């Protein structure tokens, strides 16, 4: 009990059901194409504008730098499915952009990376 109020403090904090955060929606809007390793970045800041929910504002703050959907879920302490719905809202509103990570075939070869690292070490 905290402060003699007779109200027991819950270490997990207040419980808000995921469906309440998404207003019952379980999937992002069409065209979002998100998975847990999609990279999300804010494309505009709504500092002066209103966002739909506090979670949207938090996502915009976190996404000032590119971040994966999985990392967003961890930082927001929300299930990935909920984060996908919220990010889908922001994509639809033009506030964030998302892309799939680069396929392994598009990544530079290890010998090229090693040559760059060797060149940097020689500086």
């Amino acid at each position: 009990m905290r402060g003699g109020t007779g109200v027991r403090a819950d270490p997990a904090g207040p419980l808000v059901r995921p469906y309440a955060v998404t207003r019952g929606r379980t999937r992002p809007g069409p065209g979002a194409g998100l998975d847990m390793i999609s990279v999300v970045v804010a494309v505009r800041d709504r500092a002066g504008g209103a966002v739909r929910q506090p979670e949207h504002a938090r996502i915009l703050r976190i996404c000032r730098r590119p971040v994966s959907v999985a990392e967003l879920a961890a930082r927001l302490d929300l299930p990935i499915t909920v984060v996908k719905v919220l990010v889908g809202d922001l994509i639809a509103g033009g506030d964030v952009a998302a892309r799939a990570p680069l396929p392994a075939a598009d990544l530079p070869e290890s010998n090229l990376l090693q040559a760059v690292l060797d060149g940097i070490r020689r500086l």
Side-chain angles (χ1 to χ4, degrees), residues 18-95:
Y19 63 80
V21 175
T22 63
R23 295 188 173 112
R25 296 173 296 144
T26 59
R27 296 189 180 159
L34 297 168
D35 61 24
M36 63 188 295
I37 57 174
S38 296
V39 178
V40 182
V41 65
V43 293
R44 65 179 176 180
D45 187 11
R46 281 190 155 188
V51 292
R52 296 175 190 99
Q53 294 175 240
E55 292 82 9
H56 288 119
R58 289 183 63 203
I59 290 170
L60 287 172
R61 279 193 303 274
I62 294 169
C63 289
R64 288 182 180 145
R65 293 181 181 221
V67 61
S68 71
V69 171
E71 185 176 343
L72 270 175
R75 292 179 66 182
L76 294 169
D77 196 24
L78 290 170
I80 286 180
T81 54
V82 171
V83 173
K84 285 181 180 181
V85 172
L86 296 172
V87 169
D89 294 344
L90 294 170
I91 290 171
D95 299 306

